[in-house]
Amino acid sequence: MHPSHLSIADYTYELPDHHIAAYPVAKRDNSKLLVYKKGVIRESRYAHLAEEIPAGSLLVFNNTKVVEARLLFQKETGGQIEIFCLEPHEQYPDITTAMLQKNRVLWKCLVGGAKKWKDVLLRKEIPSDTGPAVLTARKAEQRTDHYIIEFEWDNNASFAEILHLAGLVPLPPYMNRAAEDTDKERYQTVYAKHDGSVAAPTAGLHFTPELLASLAAKNISSGFVTLHVGAGTFKPVKAPTMETHEMHTEFMEIDRKLVQQLITHISGTIIAVGTTSLRTMESLYWLGVKLIQQPEIPFSELYITQWEAYENKTAPISTTEALEALLSWMDRHSIERLPARTQIIIAPGYRFRVARALITNFHQPQSTLLLLVAAITGNEWRTIYQYALEHDFRFLSYGDGSLLWMNED
């Protein structure tokens, strides 16, 4: 069955509020780890992850960095307007370019209290090392489900720096609490590097320098992709079938080293740390296929659509061939980092080309992330989640996690 015909009602379970983690555990790698392999479920801790993974494996992490994407403006009348920065205006080629803009930038945003925001300029004074600066916001355009906001500021800082100074951590809505000072550090992976996400790649929140060192000591390599997590990751599936659900698009960047690492390890064990890393690696395969089919494709069309992986009817192309096509394309264009976008949806019926296992948290009922888990484990996802609920695993972003080995054909 084509996954567009899947009924989201078949991917639900009861998630009591007391199972949702509002705060992280005191030590990151002390979180519980459910291990699923060949129908068997065991319990461990993230601190012992190296014992669960063969020597010589490759773990692929997402090194995106969460930005303080929530901006609160006080109106002169006393009311408050909240602006949630989603992603850059399409005039910018990638998130990095947009984040480095100075003095002015256009951003796609959600606006809380939009009806109370008349055609006036919102102003916010923000502290900086060189003295107070003023940030202003203006509604430049209203679209179907968001606004285009023009931000301007009167110092020489980048927009990334402005968000860091003026914004708040965008905690997921299901935590039902305001962000606290400790969230600035805990809602960020220890290896975060590239500004751009409005949600953390939460599987990576469990890793510590000590855990990474224990993996390296066992000759388990680390590779890094960058996929900037958008607010769409929290978008519920409201359609009865997946056919009419529009998957969110996310920006990704990968470098030459990562592609080479994947080629080297493709006959061994590659493990995705987080659903974003998995979606990125699988998207790389389909980008390579697209480049084999269209060698002269321009930058602007480096994009994987929602159902592309299920509708490409060409002769089978090996993973190595697809990844080598990516390297060749990067060589021809003399680039070390490849920017692209992906809308790929991974659901039951998908055949994985790159990864052999996934490290991930426990996800919301009737979500596309739960569909991804079901693509790995089949109907066993129900058994896995029931076990986690019965054994007091903590769910969602600050919760515990799992190591899910893919069911073999």
Side-chain angles (χ1 to χ4, degrees), residues 186-392:
R186 288 308 301 271
Y187 196 60
Q188 196 82 265
T189 63
V190 297
Y191 47 80
K193 186 175 182 181
H194 300 288
D195 288 307
S197 281
V198 300
T202 55
L205 296 180
H206 307 286
F207 286 78
T208 62
E210 294 81 9
L211 173 52
L212 293 170
S214 72
L215 293 165
K218 192 178 175 181
N219 191 32
I220 297 169
S221 302
S222 295
F224 295 91
V225 300
T226 304
L227 182 136
H228 295 302
V229 189
T233 193
F234 303 122
K235 183 180 179 181
V237 180
K238 296 181 179 179
T241 65
M242 296 307 299
E243 187 173 15
T244 51
H245 175 77
E246 184 178 0
M247 191 68 178
H248 53 286
T249 300
E250 291 171 319
F251 293 85
M252 64 183 191
E253 281 189 54
I254 45 92
D255 60 24
R256 176 185 302 276
K257 179 182 177 181
L258 186 276
V259 180
Q260 291 170 332
Q261 284 180 299
L262 294 178
I263 292 172
T264 299
H265 289 83
I266 202 63
S267 60
T269 303
I270 297 174
I271 300 172
V273 179
T275 57
T276 58
S277 295
L278 184 62
R279 291 180 70 230
T280 302
M281 286 193 288
E282 295 300 315
S283 296
L284 291 181
Y285 169 80
W286 291 106
L287 280 176
V289 170
K290 181 171 282 190
L291 291 172
I292 290 172
Q293 296 169 346
Q294 306 172 54
E296 302 305 319
I297 192 170
F299 273 104
S300 60
E301 294 180 24
L302 287 176
Y303 175 61
I304 300 302
T305 60
Q306 180 164 331
W307 302 114
E308 192 166 335
Y310 307 92
E311 296 170 351
N312 193 311
K313 304 299 183 183
T314 58
I317 293 172
S318 73
T319 304
T320 299
E321 288 176 310
L323 295 175
E324 287 179 343
L326 275 177
L327 285 181
S328 296
W329 194 89
M330 294 172 75
D331 287 339
R332 293 199 304 275
H333 291 83
S334 301
I335 58 173
E336 292 296 316
R337 289 185 65 83
L338 175 68
R341 294 172 296 150
T342 185
Q343 195 187 16
I344 192 172
I345 182 169
I346 296 177
Y350 183 84
R351 184 169 72 84
F352 291 92
R353 267 68 175 192
V354 183
R356 298 285 182 89
L358 169 68
I359 296 171
T360 189
N361 286 21
F362 295 97
H363 304 293
Q364 289 180 291
Q366 298 193 17
S367 64
T368 56
L369 298 181
L370 188 56
L371 289 177
L372 187 152
V373 169
I376 294 172
T377 62
N379 289 329
E380 287 290 296
W381 76 264
R382 292 186 178 277
T383 304
I384 293 166
Y385 272 57
Q386 189 61 37
Y387 181 98
L389 289 166
E390 292 175 354
H391 290 78
D392 296 321

